[in-house]
Amino acid sequence: MSGTKILTCANLSIGYRSQKEVIKEVSKGLDLSLLRGELVCLIGPNGSGKSTLIRTLTGIQPALCGEVRLLDRKIGEFTPEEKAKTLSVVLTSQVQAGFLTAFDIVALGRFPYTNWAGRLTGPDREIVYSALASVGAKDLAGRFIHEMSDGERQKVMIARALAQEPELMVLDEPTAYLDLPHKIETMRILRQVAQKTKKSILLSTHDLNLAIRCADQLWIIDRRGTMISGTPEDLVLSGIFGSAFEIEGVHFDPVRGEFSIPVEKRGTFALSAPGSVERVWTLYALERIGFLPSAGEEADIHIAIRMEHDSVRWHYDHPEGEIECRSIRELIDCIARHHTGGDAH
Amino acid sequence: MKLEGSETGDSMKKFVLALPFIAGALVLFFILDLMLGSVNIPPDAILSILTGGEIKETWMHIFWDWRVPKAVTAVFAGAALALSGLLMQTFFRNPLADPYILGISSGASLGVAIVMMSAGICGAGAVFASVGLMGDMSISVAAILGAFAVLLLILLISSKIQSNITILILGIMVSYISGALVTVLLQFTDETSMHTYSLWTFGSFTGVTWSQLPIMVFLLALGFILSFCLIKPLNALLLGEQYAESMGMNYRRIRIVIITTTALMAGVVTAFCGPIGFLGIAIPHFCRSFFVTADHRVLVPGCILAGGIIALITDIISHVPGTDIVLPLNAITALFGAPVVIWVIVRGTKFGRGVTT
């Protein structure tokens, strides 16, 4: 069934209107499609219309023109219950519910399937447990949501969306509030869910580095509301990705796949070292303090890394003699002392 | 009690296990409420009343015309206040919400004030000061009319408004307006009417007659049934209205049902017992802490039972057994109830966690 279009829209305009008058058109002419089992990251600067697009695609807000089709049916034609069985959401706002266990929360995902009193049947229970297991939160089942960390809570909310057994899950900034390892963990869980359960996932995020590495497809909205979609690697290679986000002084490094922090250039260096982790991090350190690799010409400073037995030594070549450093910290101090021509004294 | 979540989400099972004890407590306090008062009727006398035996004429009168209606009223009013408090706390996701937050009791108070004052001005104040049927009925009708006027206003406004926080603020504004109008009315009345009115604001489970009792019980039971029907959407609303809607709940319709159910119960209780405070805000918190869950499948029946029990206890205390003293019910509910609730909420839990909704 892979390759089936779950969500499509053609010539869609999004924005706000009051009565009949269009107040603000955020973006127009959107042609998008989302396939089964695909993970799509929606990225764009603040105020570019990510939320508006998500609200329009999930049918919360009407489109200005064009239409959104879910499983090849207009989204407006779905009854609330049918829509709940096809599309589930994870919102940015944190859930403030006391005295509810993770199990209770995930069980609420069965809402469209249970009877008037919300009674869980045996199969419902199994679905709840397997949803918790898919996000690696099985041991959280009996814990209260208000006692969980942000990362754990996010897992539970994703499990709840899963328990709703939708075709498409839409997550609004699921990695906000999380620290880096938990951001990565959340993305890994979503990747796994998309691959294993063949559910489609659309998420908005500000974590561009993660988006490039995780998404099957990127939807980029730039400041002018122009939408570009494509495979992340293609968008990086064509330079579209960089130009959509670069601002004064901040540039995208297509080789490393991240935004570089600009520093004032203080000189050039020549580094002789074996290809090792130490080499990479020494390069980062030199770059951070303002030294760039010399391109052919005589370098201002010369550094060599030598691996002896278990220890690593940095050798800083200095007119007065070679200095051996035991750590990058020492190396940086040496360069500061000697290179600036005595400024550091 | 150690605070722990239920692994399977079945706080329901625990509740069912505890049910016989809670129901037993309700029966026990019901009987105690029948026995205790200014005249204490011993248990064997109660038994002989029920089995048709011979007892003193005055006891017979006190028992049937006074104690039984009072105890039944206490059970139903306590349960209704607890339930409507629960509905409002979940609906507004605010631990400080109570049955009167929509301005329902203020509307009722205004209705009552208008009737009492106008009667006072016409020189018929004595009718209301007595406990005659006419007086009581007109007070109840005035209160119900006032409560439903506010309900209609809130529903009308809420059909045009998305945010339920706005409704909350509107309810509070309506309360202030009605309160202000009552104060203005009080300026133009005689002492008797003013005294009658202030007695009414103290709240009381007494004075509901046998002819009024079926009406009250029927209307409140209707509120209980509606609350049971709301269990599932109330649970969904714990995650907030956006999540609830994304799960297929019709928010606008449910909102009308919740507001109407609350107004029905709070309005009827206010009409027959006066504006009884505290129970409505405290019992839902008590139940959440006691049953350690926010699941409405437990909380709805739990609030009915706990509301009934606590209302009976406060009623027993307010009629200081063995004396002729009758303390204002509203003073008793807060004075004796608040420390108990504070103890339950704080005990064994991290401070403050108990009031999360």
Side-chain angles (χ1 to χ4, degrees):
Chain A
M1 283 289 275
S2 219
T4 317
K5 283 180 181 172
I6 299 295
L7 183 80
T8 53
C9 59
N11 199 23
L12 181 75
S13 292
I14 58 171
Y16 299 88
R17 73 167 91 211
S18 79
Q19 310 300 339
K20 284 167 196 155
E21 216 177 331
V22 173
I23 298 295
K24 186 178 180 242
E25 191 176 62
V26 175
S27 186
K28 62 178 177 182
L30 305 180
D31 291 292
L32 299 163
S33 68
L34 210 164
L35 304 181
R36 185 185 295 277
E38 214 175 28
L39 177 78
V40 174
C41 287
L42 171 62
I43 51 181
N46 282 329
S48 58
K50 293 196 297 292
S51 301
T52 314
L53 180 62
I54 282 196
R55 291 169 60 83
T56 311
L57 291 180
T58 51
I60 294 170
Q61 182 178 339
L64 293 181
C65 99
E67 63 185 31
V68 179
R69 299 181 82 88
L70 188 59
L71 289 177
D72 215 23
R73 225 176 111 196
K74 276 190 203 169
I75 198 148
E77 289 173 2
F78 281 78
T79 65
E81 197 184 286
E82 284 172 335
K83 200 167 95 181
K85 288 179 178 175
T86 322
L87 179 117
S88 69
V89 298
V90 175
L91 304 168
T92 326
S93 57
Q94 295 209 30
V95 166
Q96 301 287 348
F99 290 124
L100 276 185
T101 61
F103 184 95
D104 293 333
I105 300 247
V106 178
L108 282 175
R110 301 304 297 160
F111 188 96
Y113 304 91
T114 52
N115 70 355
W116 68 273
R119 193 188 146 80
L120 296 177
T121 62
D124 284 326
R125 234 165 250 286
E126 273 167 36
I127 291 165
V128 171
Y129 275 122
S130 83
L132 277 165
S134 326
V135 300
K138 222 171 175 173
D139 50 334
L140 294 181
R143 292 228 346 247
F144 285 114
I145 189 94
H146 59 256
E147 295 174 333
M148 289 180 194
S149 68
D150 288 342
E152 291 171 328
R153 199 174 307 175
Q154 194 60 270
K155 282 191 207 172
V156 173
M157 294 319 288
I158 293 172
R160 190 212 62 83
L162 257 178
Q164 217 172 309
E165 292 197 305
E167 293 289 343
L168 171 65
M169 277 167 63
V170 178
L171 302 92
D172 196 2
E173 300 195 15
T175 54
Y177 307 122
L178 301 181
D179 59 22
L180 189 59
H182 285 100
K183 279 178 201 279
I184 295 171
E185 189 189 24
T186 303
M187 290 302 257
R188 179 187 62 83
I189 288 168
L190 291 172
R191 265 242 65 96
Q192 245 175 24
V193 166
Q195 278 166 354
K196 283 193 183 158
T197 63
K198 285 285 164 204
K199 299 211 186 305
S200 308
I201 296 176
L202 169 64
L203 64 95
S204 66
T205 181
H206 281 293
D207 294 298
L208 305 176
N209 299 354
L210 277 175
I212 299 179
R213 307 305 290 270
C214 296
D216 295 310
Q217 223 193 119
L218 284 184
W219 294 356
I220 304 175
I221 312 184
D222 68 14
R223 265 173 223 87
R224 293 175 303 281
T226 317
M227 164 76 84
I228 309 141
S229 65
T231 308
E233 293 78 9
D234 284 337
L235 293 175
V236 169
L237 290 175
S238 61
I240 292 172
F241 183 84
S243 63
F245 290 98
E246 278 171 7
I247 53 171
E248 187 68 33
V250 180
H251 295 283
F252 182 72
D253 180 345
V255 178
R256 283 202 214 152
E258 58 186 33
F259 288 84
S260 53
I261 302 160
V263 284
E264 200 184 325
K265 187 179 170 182
R266 290 169 63 197
T268 56
F269 69 85
L271 177 68
S272 76
S276 63
V277 186
E278 287 78 7
R279 180 192 159 84
V280 175
W281 286 96
T282 308
L283 285 172
Y284 287 166
L286 290 168
E287 187 183 313
R288 177 159 58 84
I289 60 170
F291 287 88
L292 299 176
S294 64
E297 83 277 7
E298 180 61 20
D300 298 330
I301 55 174
H302 295 265
I303 291 152
I305 302 177
R306 303 215 178 96
M307 311 274 203
E308 286 151 10
H309 310 295
D310 295 339
S311 59
V312 184
R313 293 287 181 273
W314 285 263
H315 292 265
Y316 174 46
D317 253 345
H318 187 252
E320 295 158 28
E322 195 182 83
I323 301 169
E324 190 185 76
C325 305
R326 290 159 173 275
S327 66
I328 292 182
R329 168 82 256 169
E330 277 182 27
L331 177 69
I332 290 172
D333 287 346
C334 267
I335 295 170
R337 264 201 308 278
H338 297 101
H339 175 70
T340 47
D343 277 4
H345 286 294
Chain B
M1 189 199 297
K2 198 170 157 276
L3 194 75
E4 53 189 23
S6 51
E7 177 68 27
T8 56
D10 255 336
S11 35
M12 197 62 201
K13 270 183 192 151
K14 282 190 201 165
F15 175 68
V16 171
L17 286 177
L19 201 57
F21 298 100
I22 303 165
L26 182 66
V27 172
L28 176 73
F29 283 107
F30 190 82
I31 293 170
L32 281 177
D33 196 35
L34 294 178
M35 282 163 51
L36 304 174
S38 56
V39 175
N40 289 338
I41 305 175
D44 53 318
I46 300 257
L47 206 67
S48 61
I49 292 172
L50 295 175
T51 52
E54 281 294 303
I55 63 148
K56 276 196 272 180
E57 184 71 14
T58 47
W59 283 5
M60 203 69 174
H61 170 68
I62 291 173
F63 183 82
W64 284 116
D65 294 341
W66 194 249
R67 298 271 168 88
V68 173
K70 185 184 70 154
V72 172
T73 306
V75 170
F76 274 83
L81 288 174
L83 265 187
S84 42
L86 176 70
L87 257 54
M88 286 297 97
Q89 287 175 3
T90 301
F91 177 67
F92 289 118
R93 290 207 289 155
N94 187 334
L96 295 177
D98 72 3
Y100 308 131
I101 199 147
L102 293 171
I104 301 298
S105 82
S106 312
S109 304
L110 182 60
V112 169
I114 290 173
V115 166
M116 283 184 179
M117 309 310 159
S118 59
I121 289 163
C122 301
V127 175
F128 297 98
S130 72
V131 283
L133 175 72
M134 253 300 289
D136 274 0
M137 269 314 244
S138 59
I139 287 176
S140 302
V141 169
I144 288 182
L145 286 181
F148 269 78
V150 170
L151 170 67
L152 281 181
L153 186 68
I154 296 281
L155 285 181
L156 197 74
I157 297 170
S158 68
S159 67
K160 303 227 183 300
I161 284 168
Q162 264 296 340
S163 151
N164 64 9
I165 293 299
T166 317
I167 298 177
L168 184 79
I169 294 167
L170 285 171
I172 293 170
M173 290 306 120
V174 169
S175 301
Y176 275 114
I177 294 170
S178 329
L181 288 175
V182 169
T183 320
V184 170
L185 279 173
L186 284 175
Q187 288 295 315
F188 298 101
T189 71
D190 57 278
E191 288 270 313
T192 328
S193 301
M194 206 189 258
H195 185 66
T196 317
Y197 178 78
S198 69
L199 276 183
W200 180 78
T201 60
F202 287 167
S204 170
F205 295 129
T206 52
V208 178
T209 62
W210 274 106
S211 55
Q212 297 169 354
L213 199 61
I215 305 171
M216 189 197 76
V217 167
F218 170 78
L219 290 174
L220 293 184
L222 190 67
F224 298 172
I225 293 167
L226 283 170
S227 303
F228 272 101
C229 296
L230 283 169
I231 284 175
K232 189 179 171 181
L234 283 172
N235 276 341
L237 278 171
L238 287 174
L239 297 183
E241 57 188 85
Q242 277 183 304
Y243 271 117
E245 273 196 303
S246 84
M247 294 189 281
M249 191 190 91
N250 185 334
Y251 179 65
R252 279 176 174 265
R253 196 172 67 200
I254 291 299
R255 179 162 77 175
I256 292 173
V257 181
I258 290 178
I259 292 177
T260 311
T261 308
T262 306
L264 172 71
M265 292 191 289
V268 168
V269 171
T270 311
F272 288 99
C273 309
I276 297 172
F278 184 77
L279 295 180
I281 189 169
I283 293 170
H285 290 309
F286 176 85
C287 288
R288 266 187 285 264
S289 298
F290 190 78
F291 299 116
V292 203
T293 185
D295 187 345
H296 290 82
R297 288 179 300 156
V298 171
L299 290 182
V300 167
C303 275
I304 291 178
L305 293 170
I309 292 170
I310 294 171
L312 284 170
I313 296 173
T314 52
D315 185 54
I316 293 170
I317 298 173
S318 79
H319 286 90
V320 193
T323 70
D324 282 337
I325 305 166
V326 179
L327 297 170
L329 190 63
N330 266 332
I332 301 302
T333 52
L335 222 53
F336 287 82
V340 173
V341 171
I342 291 171
W343 177 67
V344 168
I345 289 173
V346 174
R347 173 197 59 163
T349 68
K350 270 187 240 158
F351 186 73
R353 187 176 60 183
V355 291
T356 47
T357 49

